[in-house]
Amino acid sequence: MIVVTGATGQLGSLIVDRLLERVPASGVAVSVRDIDKAASLAHRGVRVRTGDFTDAATLAHAFEGAEKILIVSAAIRGPGAVVANRAAIDAAHAAGAKRILYTSHQAASRHSLFPAQLTHAETEEHLAALGVPFTALRNGFYASTLSYSIGAALETGQLVAPADGPVSWTAHADLAEAAAIALTDDGVLDGITPALTASEALDIEAVAALLTDITGRGIRRVVVADEEWRAGAIEGGMPAAAADFTLGLYRAARRGEFDVTDPTLEGLLGHPPTSARSVLEAIVARR
């Protein structure tokens, strides 16, 4: 039995879809906080159980009988994220899983300027210390997050953000396929993986140039000071904590933390990863 957590989320749902292309539904189970949202999976023959990272009893039930368990990192900011991830990993270990997989990040580090990477680094350390076979999927930076950056630019013609650096924008669909491969092909990805990234790293100026080409209208990159951007974001309705979190992304990017590309993902997929241009075209088409 393969168990996937967070199976109703953006990444988790795609992972389950790819997994069901590779194994029978009878061999797949999901752990979700709201089973009603997973009704379609139940109808497809997937075992659906309630699992909450903050309630160990639910995880014991959700993980029962699992041979492999994929822990999709908790969608929590701050110290609670590590606590939740560790609880899920410990529950997977207690359930007797023969391999535990975790969705980490290419820039996981105790020294990162982006807070999420500290969470991933600490979670990886905990997972490795258990002494059981594991896979930490060092996913490239999710390309879908570009939608948050470019929304106003499509209206104003200005892509306003702090100074940044190249980022290897990587599509959820490609990372979901890689996770499904890791869950079903023994020995393909063991331990902490290489960075699972798209083939190019682009800074925001390059993103603005792509948008100009895609939309046929000028999109100009405008660099603003960190504090000016933070104040504007908060004035626009972003909570202060979220603004600080996002500002860490820009600071880490300009230090080069996301300026990494690796051929591993392409090798797994057997085809070139989705380009940032394709992701941007899809975002623009939806607006």
Side-chain angles (χ1 to χ4, degrees):
M1 180 71 70
I2 297 173
V3 176
V4 178
T5 74
T8 56
Q10 185 173 8
L11 180 61
S13 60
L14 289 173
I15 291 172
V16 175
D17 285 342
R18 298 293 79 77
L19 194 55
L20 291 174
E21 295 171 353
R22 303 173 69 88
V23 297
S26 59
V28 178
V30 298
S31 168
V32 296
R33 284 183 295 176
D34 185 348
I35 59 173
D36 291 338
K37 292 182 179 180
S40 63
L41 291 176
H43 292 153
R44 295 167 70 181
V46 173
R47 189 185 82 184
V48 176
R49 290 181 178 175
T50 300
D52 186 332
F53 287 11
T54 64
D55 187 341
T58 65
L59 292 177
H61 180 60
F63 294 169
E64 184 182 9
E67 180 179 357
K68 298 176 184 177
I69 299 176
L70 172 63
I71 307 295
V72 175
S73 56
I76 301 173
R77 291 176 183 160
V82 174
V83 174
N85 289 337
R86 289 179 58 151
I89 288 168
D90 288 345
H93 187 210
K98 296 180 181 178
R99 177 171 293 274
I100 302 172
L101 300 89
Y102 170 72
T103 58
S104 187
H105 195 280
Q106 67 176 86
S109 168
R110 287 276 194 168
H111 308 290
S112 176
L113 295 177
F114 186 36
Q117 307 319 312
L118 281 67
T119 294
H120 290 307
E122 189 170 345
T123 302
E124 284 184 352
E125 291 170 8
H126 182 72
L127 179 56
L130 290 180
V132 299
F134 76 96
T135 302
L137 296 159
R138 284 212 162 174
N139 289 342
F141 210 104
Y142 297 139
S144 63
T145 59
L146 285 167
S147 62
Y148 301 111
S149 304
I150 70 174
L154 295 175
E155 298 176 4
T156 66
Q158 294 186 336
L159 208 171
V160 181
D164 68 315
V167 175
S168 53
W169 305 108
T170 309
H172 273 82
D174 291 340
L175 295 170
E177 187 173 349
I181 291 170
L183 283 164
T184 54
D185 293 2
D186 291 334
V188 171
L189 292 173
D190 185 48
I192 296 175
T193 71
L196 302 174
T197 70
S199 304
E200 60 182 351
L202 305 175
D203 62 13
I204 292 179
E205 184 171 357
V207 170
L210 283 174
L211 284 174
T212 294
D213 191 48
I214 292 167
T215 64
R217 56 172 299 197
I219 304 293
R220 184 169 64 93
R221 165 69 162 113
V222 178
V223 179
V224 295
D226 288 3
E227 290 308 313
E228 180 182 349
W229 178 88
R230 180 182 184 276
I234 293 172
E235 184 179 351
M238 183 181 291
D244 291 335
F245 181 87
T246 305
L247 191 55
L249 185 163
Y250 292 110
R251 288 171 171 164
R254 65 181 178 240
R255 192 168 76 171
E257 292 188 28
F258 312 126
D259 188 11
V260 176
T261 59
D262 189 280
T264 299
L265 181 59
E266 181 171 353
L268 282 171
L269 302 179
H271 59 77
T274 305
S275 67
R277 181 188 181 93
S278 294
V279 173
L280 288 170
E281 287 173 341
I283 292 172
V284 171
R286 289 195 296 268
R287 290 181 177 272

